[in-house]
Amino acid sequence: METEWVLRSLYRFHGARLSSAILALTSLPTVRVEDPAAVSRAVGWASSGMDFADALHLASRGESAKFMSFDNKLRKRAKALGAVGQALSLQRPLRQPKASRRKV
């Protein structure tokens, strides 16, 4: 995730160029990635318009049954890109009840 941030903010890589750079870096024999399948999924989703950090969090959920987010945009993009499957349920977080107001 930090590599993506540096490539995007410092080197001004975006879109396909950014995705290609991440895939090229992770393909190097001297580079080890914690979860190559998750990075690959995240790069694919990021290439389709999802924020890379959001895509990586979503792709790294492992066996979790649900992925909770306060980010409505993330939920909508994930659903539009087909990132929501049987094992994944993007839900709105529970809302706090409004404090009751009493006139004194």
Side-chain angles (χ1 to χ4, degrees):
M1 191 170 352
E2 296 301 320
T3 301
E4 182 270 346
W5 184 86
V6 170
L7 288 172
R8 184 175 35 83
S9 3
L10 185 62
Y11 294 101
R12 308 286 186 225
F13 280 36
H14 297 283
R17 184 177 182 207
L18 177 60
S19 297
S20 295
I22 291 171
L23 291 176
L25 285 170
T26 59
S27 298
L28 294 171
T30 54
V31 174
R32 296 197 183 199
V33 177
E34 182 178 332
D35 187 350
V39 171
S40 180
R41 277 191 306 273
V43 167
W45 290 335
S47 295
S48 298
M50 187 182 286
D51 177 74
F52 182 79
D54 289 341
L56 188 58
H57 287 303
L58 184 60
S60 299
R61 68 174 168 59
E63 298 299 317
S64 300
K66 294 183 181 178
F67 183 86
M68 304 290 280
S69 177
F70 290 102
D71 188 344
N72 288 327
K73 188 187 272 186
L74 168 59
R75 283 196 299 274
K76 289 176 185 176
R77 279 209 175 123
K79 193 171 185 177
L81 293 173
V84 179
Q86 288 181 326
L88 178 64
S89 174
L90 293 174
Q91 297 180 353
R92 293 181 184 196
L94 297 175
R95 292 186 178 181
Q96 294 291 328
K98 291 182 180 179
S100 58
R101 297 179 183 164
R102 292 192 289 175
K103 293 183 179 182
V104 181

